[in-house]
Amino acid sequence: MKKLLVTLLILVPLAVAAESPPLGLPPLPVPKDNPQTPEKIALGDRLFHDIRFSTTGEVSCSTCHEREKTFTDSPLVVSEGINKLKGTRNAPTVVNSAYNKTQFWDGRSPSLEDQSQHPFVNPVEMGLKSHQPILDIIAKDDAYQRAFKKVFGVSGKDVTIEHVKKAIASFERTVISGNSRFDRWYFGGEKDALSEQEKRGFQVFLTQGRCVSCHTIEENFALFTDQKFHNIGVGINDLTPQKIEQLSQAFQRAKAKGVDVDVAVLTDKDTSDLGRFAITDELSDMGGFKTSTLRNIAETAPYMHDGSIGNLRDVVVHYNNGGALKKDTKITPYLSGGIRPLELTDQQIDDLVAFMETLTSPEFAGKGSANKSAKSKE
């Protein structure tokens, strides 16, 4: 009970933030069929942290999305589920995911509600064969029964996975953050919020670095993502065109036979590296992954869909080389057209990294120090 009261005290102000978003963020989008309430948010918080919803009784949603780690599992390269099984993808932060038009790196879920159901039944995440064990646990838990009755007006066997999904999504919509030093400088007019180096880095971001092309900034807010999918050479550079053709054809045949895409992309690295193509079957989406937000980016290393780049400076070096961390890497022919060498100097790279470190919200500051001194080994 004490933990629940603390949760309510923390989350009720965040729920109000849907109407008054933090500096730098737009109003929070909330589905008409799933309005926010403090009681639903508190229920979703408990569901999000319940380790009983896994075959081992050790893994919950929060295992890969810890509040203390900016809602990621940093510094893991790829996430670990039951029995320490490793997937193929780096856990994206839940922070500000409420603004995403699609969920997961490849956009295979259209909403937070839909996304929340999949980890429960993925064999390398929580490992359940179906959602029924979740409903069975809820049916035997008096506290859950009271909460579902109050929030949704249902109890016992009338509680469905749809109710569970809505509650978890409502909690996740409270995990929003802005008010970074950048926000206070750019949107708030606080002239001294950024150093001269950080301001230079912002100019690189806007101009020669061309970062703003995908990590967008609007007039009154900045989500730092275009919500689109791009092939930037990560993962896919390791596959020859012949291998890509074989993989894509084999995967399309498997899909026609009913393969579970959610399972396939998290259990096989080569399939994972097909990216958005695995969802759309469009060659233009080959190796494409969603543009991640840059908010709190200094706190969420390692980077990219496969966690293959360990620090922010190396991320910039990857783009500076035109889609490869090492200059002699053979670039995939499927690379997105906007990716090309930037010819940034070492000083410009340092300035750009310094700017990105200003995008951390105060409540998540303090975990990205490794980025500040990291140097690339080109």
Side-chain angles (χ1 to χ4, degrees), residues 277-312:
F277 171 83
I279 314 305
T280 67
D281 296 326
E282 297 289 338
L283 280 178
S284 59
D285 286 326
M286 180 64 69
F289 290 91
K290 185 169 61 179
T291 304
S292 59
T293 179
L294 295 183
R295 286 191 174 276
N296 301 299
I297 195 69
E299 313 300 334
T300 58
Y303 304 106
M304 307 304 181
H305 75 276
D306 57 359
S308 60
I309 301 184
N311 62 73
L312 281 178

Side-chain angles (χ1 to χ4, degrees), residues 327-346:
K327 289 183 178 180
D328 59 352
T329 300
K330 189 172 183 179
I331 304 296
T332 179
Y334 293 98
L335 195 72
S336 292
I339 307 297
R340 60 180 183 271
L342 301 173
E343 300 182 353
L344 300 178
T345 66
D346 283 346

Side-chain angles (χ1 to χ4, degrees), residues 132-183:
Q132 189 58 47
I134 298 173
L135 304 180
D136 292 341
I137 290 169
I138 290 171
K140 297 176 183 178
D141 187 307
D142 290 341
Y144 270 141
Q145 287 297 298
R146 290 191 296 271
F148 276 94
K149 186 67 173 179
K150 185 171 185 178
V151 173
F152 295 107
V154 296
S155 60
K157 294 184 178 180
D158 290 331
V159 176
T160 69
I161 194 62
E162 295 301 316
H163 298 120
V164 173
K165 289 159 52 178
K166 286 185 174 182
I168 292 175
S170 290
F171 163 66
E172 290 177 327
R173 287 192 177 93
T174 69
V175 186
I176 59 174
S177 74
N179 196 36
S180 66
R181 287 196 293 118
F182 168 77
D183 295 313

Side-chain angles (χ1 to χ4, degrees), residues 11-24:
L11 292 177
V12 171
L14 288 174
V16 176
E19 298 178 1
S20 303
L23 183 65

Side-chain angles (χ1 to χ4, degrees), residues 12-269:
V12 171
L14 288 174
V16 176
E19 298 178 1
S20 303
L23 183 65
L25 293 179
L28 187 69
V30 178
K32 292 182 179 179
D33 65 347
N34 192 21
Q36 299 284 84
T37 68
E39 294 80 10
K40 190 188 297 180
I41 292 163
L43 173 58
D45 185 6
R46 185 182 174 194
L47 294 165
F48 187 86
H49 290 86
D50 199 326
I51 59 176
R52 294 178 296 172
F53 301 156
S54 64
T55 57
T56 61
E58 297 176 338
V59 178
S60 70
C61 304
S62 64
T63 301
C64 297
H65 303 285
E66 294 185 44
R67 185 187 297 272
E68 294 75 16
K69 297 180 179 180
T70 321
F71 285 88
T72 70
D73 54 12
S74 176
L76 292 182
V77 173
V78 294
S79 294
E80 294 181 351
I82 55 170
N83 300 314
K84 297 295 182 181
L85 292 173
K86 294 183 182 294
T88 61
R89 301 266 172 95
N90 179 260
T93 182
V94 173
V95 181
N96 295 333
S97 62
Y99 293 102
N100 293 345
K101 292 182 179 179
T102 59
Q103 305 296 332
F104 293 120
W105 278 102
D106 50 25
R108 63 186 183 275
S109 278
S111 66
L112 287 174
E113 282 81 0
D114 181 79
Q115 182 278 330
S116 67
Q117 69 182 316
H118 296 292
F120 294 125
V121 292
N122 194 293
V124 297
E125 294 185 279
M126 297 163 81
L128 298 178
K129 297 297 184 182
S130 73
H131 293 115
Q132 189 58 47
I134 298 173
L135 304 180
D136 292 341
I137 290 169
I138 290 171
K140 297 176 183 178
D141 187 307
D142 290 341
Y144 270 141
Q145 287 297 298
R146 290 191 296 271
F148 276 94
K149 186 67 173 179
K150 185 171 185 178
V151 173
F152 295 107
V154 296
S155 60
K157 294 184 178 180
D158 290 331
V159 176
T160 69
I161 194 62
E162 295 301 316
H163 298 120
V164 173
K165 289 159 52 178
K166 286 185 174 182
I168 292 175
S170 290
F171 163 66
E172 290 177 327
R173 287 192 177 93
T174 69
V175 186
I176 59 174
S177 74
N179 196 36
S180 66
R181 287 196 293 118
F182 168 77
D183 295 313
R184 298 198 299 273
W185 175 69
Y186 190 78
F187 296 113
E190 188 177 322
K191 295 181 180 180
D192 297 330
L194 266 58
S195 70
E196 291 306 311
Q197 181 186 28
E198 292 161 351
K199 292 175 184 177
R200 292 198 307 268
F202 181 53
Q203 288 306 307
V204 176
F205 183 90
L206 294 177
T207 56
Q208 190 174 340
R210 298 186 295 109
C211 314
V212 74
S213 298
C214 298
H215 298 285
T216 53
I217 299 173
E218 308 298 334
E219 181 178 359
N220 298 314
F221 64 88
L223 295 179
F224 290 100
T225 173
D226 61 1
Q227 308 274 3
K228 297 179 181 178
F229 303 84
H230 305 279
N231 183 325
I232 61 172
V234 174
I236 201 77
N237 278 346
D238 298 331
L239 302 174
T240 64
Q242 294 78 13
K243 180 67 171 177
I244 292 172
E245 183 177 2
Q246 294 170 0
L247 277 171
S248 61
Q249 291 177 354
F251 187 70
Q252 285 177 313
R253 289 194 294 270
K255 281 181 70 175
K257 294 180 180 179
V259 69
D260 188 325
V261 175
D262 188 74
V263 173
V265 299
L266 288 189
T267 56
D268 181 75
K269 183 183 184 304

